[in-house]
Amino acid sequence: MSSAPAALPRRAAGPAPVLPLVALPALLALPLTHDGAGPADVVSALVVVYCVILLLRERRRPLPPAAAVVLGLPVVGLALAAMGASSPEAGFTGLGRYLQVFVLVPAAVLVLVRDRTGFRVLTWSFVALALWQGAVGVHQYVTGTGASYQGESVRAVGTFGAHDVMGMATAVSLGLVCAVGIALGRTAVWQRVTATGCAVALLLPLALSFSRGAWVATALTCAVQLVLAGPRRAPKVALAVAAAGVVLTGGFGIGTDRLQERIDSIAQVGDAPDQSVADRYALWAAAGGMWREQPLTGVGLKGFPEYRDGHAGLALSSGSDIGGAGTEYRKQALLSPHSMYLLVLSEQGLIGLVALAGGWLALLVCGLRRLLRVRSRLPGPGRGPGLDCGLVACGLLLWLLTDFVYGDIGGPSTMLIALGLGLAAWWALAVGEREDVVPPGAVAERVEGAPAR
């Protein structure tokens, strides 16, 4: 009788430390402007300051040694690239942005996420944001108030607007990956059922984003999550998802022709690419040319736009057309190579790329190792307590690493990338975190916390 009241304060306090992080996806649900830093960027700085004060008050070590190395290593390449920038302003601005996304916000996640309960609360905030943005996006498609796509205002962009057509696709994709990870884990039944319904519901807005890159990254990530959760379950779940996709698109006749045309264009990127793909190839070639000129340190942070025209071919257009979703039609300049790896290579050189990508690879290896240890320790068909956290963390990181092949940071949705990297780092590198509170006698929940033998 005495154990139950004692458990209540710990259970109630579980989600509390992570609430400042939950505020970041919540702010991304608001209508966004495109004038400088957004509300989520400002609040992320306040969260970092709060973490510093918290650590000083509690007198505890900021990060585990491995996390300090992995998150701190990119600072070397960033500092060198900042010194090589064309102006102090460009160097300072670029350095601040990279530190925010790849160092400070992920470190804040490591500090504030204390246990799997906090991890799951932040994960559900991803799903909630995806559902909201997806609902706005579907409404835009149905009412013809979305961003311009092939002369019609039907592209679902959520509250991110036509300036950031990848914003909603990123939010919905990451939310879908989180929902799949929860559904495949061993959490409460209501959570798994709810997550399954959310994952199915998010298929439609993801399709209506018309983002080929998001489709490829999400399909690959969810397939890997299925295999990691249990190979025997993969065919059944894949068949159910395929059936849901058929019902949502073909069954209801929602965007069937446009979707089929967009899907077919994925296989035509080599034979008969459209203008957007041709522009991307030209930008990739320009980034490669910059790297060959400065192979070790690159051309400096924020240097790609300045050097682009000197290395791009004639195939590059003057910019991409944007319009709709409350935005007047205009040309938007192409200021990045639309590949995170090539952006880092061109602006930071091999030193910067090895530091950043090496850290991401270390997170993936460590995360997969911990996930496999959880599976091997626990009974059942490859599932157990904490498996959902591992599937979410590895899924988020795998999605980002895939998306970085043909996308880069930029826009308000970049905050989700920073939080996703933080969750992946927590799962891969956090040591000594408190276990979830479990009822007495729930021995299976304590297995994951046992020391490795």
Side-chain angles (χ1 to χ4, degrees):
M1 296 292 294
S2 60
S3 61
L8 288 177
R10 288 185 62 197
R11 187 187 299 272
V18 82
L19 293 182
L21 297 173
V22 174
L24 301 180
L27 289 171
L28 293 179
L30 302 175
L32 301 171
T33 62
H34 303 274
D35 302 324
D41 295 304
V42 176
V43 173
S44 71
L46 297 178
V47 170
V48 171
V49 173
Y50 168 73
C51 288
V52 174
I53 297 174
L54 186 66
L55 291 171
L56 292 175
R57 189 180 67 178
E58 295 183 354
R59 297 181 180 179
R60 64 187 176 97
R61 186 174 57 190
L63 298 174
V69 172
V70 171
L71 294 181
L73 188 60
V75 177
V76 178
L78 290 172
L80 291 174
M83 290 188 293
S86 59
S87 68
E89 181 183 1
F92 181 79
T93 303
L95 179 64
R97 184 60 162 169
Y98 274 95
L99 288 178
Q100 175 200 31
V101 176
F102 298 116
V103 179
L104 297 178
V105 173
V109 175
L110 280 171
V111 171
L112 296 178
V113 176
R114 305 294 182 87
D115 51 31
R116 294 193 300 269
T117 299
F119 187 104
R120 290 172 183 136
V121 170
L122 187 54
T123 298
W124 276 110
S125 72
F126 273 67
V127 179
L129 174 65
L131 290 172
W132 167 248
Q133 293 290 352
V136 174
V138 172
H139 178 266
Q140 289 170 334
Y141 178 88
V142 173
T143 59
T145 56
S148 177
Y149 177 77
Q150 295 183 347
E152 299 181 78
S153 300
V154 294
R155 187 168 190 173
V157 292
T159 63
F160 294 96
H163 298 84
D164 185 12
V165 294
M166 287 300 300
M168 192 209 77
T170 299
V172 171
S173 298
L174 295 179
L176 178 58
V177 169
C178 289
V180 170
I182 296 171
L184 294 175
R186 180 175 285 180
T187 56
V189 174
W190 72 267
Q191 288 198 46
R192 282 180 281 158
V193 173
T194 304
T196 302
C198 293
V200 173
L202 290 173
L203 291 174
L204 179 58
L206 178 61
L208 297 181
S209 71
F210 297 110
S211 173
R212 295 169 292 197
W215 295 348
V216 172
T218 305
L220 174 64
T221 301
C222 292
V224 173
Q225 286 178 306
L226 286 171
V227 173
L228 291 174
R232 289 180 298 180
R233 304 171 64 195
K236 298 178 182 178
V237 178
L239 183 61
V241 172
V246 171
V247 172
L248 288 174
T249 56
F252 291 109
I254 301 178
T256 307
D257 295 337
R258 295 189 184 94
L259 287 176
Q260 187 61 52
E261 180 181 349
R262 194 66 166 171
I263 293 171
D264 292 340
S265 70
I266 296 177
Q268 298 173 355
V269 294
D271 297 333
D274 56 29
Q275 185 58 50
S276 65
V277 176
D279 286 340
R280 187 158 302 183
Y281 288 161
L283 293 169
W284 289 359
M290 297 177 201
W291 168 69
R292 284 189 291 271
E293 283 190 1
Q294 299 287 340
L296 290 180
T297 59
V299 298
L301 293 180
K302 298 287 186 178
F304 183 87
E306 181 180 351
Y307 290 86
R308 181 200 64 183
D309 292 340
H311 295 83
L314 297 177
L316 182 64
S317 65
S318 58
S320 59
D321 300 333
I322 66 169
T327 302
E328 295 183 359
Y329 172 83
R330 66 180 182 85
K331 287 280 186 179
Q332 182 170 268
L334 302 173
L335 302 178
S336 76
H338 292 284
S339 169
M340 192 66 212
Y341 302 113
L342 290 176
L343 178 62
V344 173
L345 190 64
S346 62
E347 293 187 346
Q348 303 179 42
L350 281 175
I351 295 177
L353 182 62
V354 170
L356 269 175
W360 301 334
L361 182 60
L363 291 181
L364 184 61
V365 171
C366 293
L368 289 174
R369 286 180 59 188
R370 184 179 178 187
L371 179 59
L372 294 177
R373 284 201 304 270
V374 170
R375 285 186 52 186
S376 64
R377 288 179 184 177
L378 296 161
R383 298 182 300 163
L387 182 66
D388 60 312
C389 298
L391 291 172
V392 168
C394 294
L396 289 174
L397 185 56
L398 181 60
W399 190 94
L400 293 175
L401 294 180
T402 305
D403 182 72
F404 280 167
V405 174
Y406 38 77
D408 50 44
I409 59 174
S413 61
T414 300
M415 188 54 58
L416 295 177
I417 294 176
L419 292 173
L421 287 172
L423 289 175
W426 182 90
W427 173 258
L429 303 174
V431 293
E433 70 274 5
R434 296 193 295 271
E435 296 298 321
D436 293 339
V437 178
V438 294
V443 179
E445 277 287 325
R446 305 180 187 275
V447 176
E448 183 186 345
R453 301 184 185 277

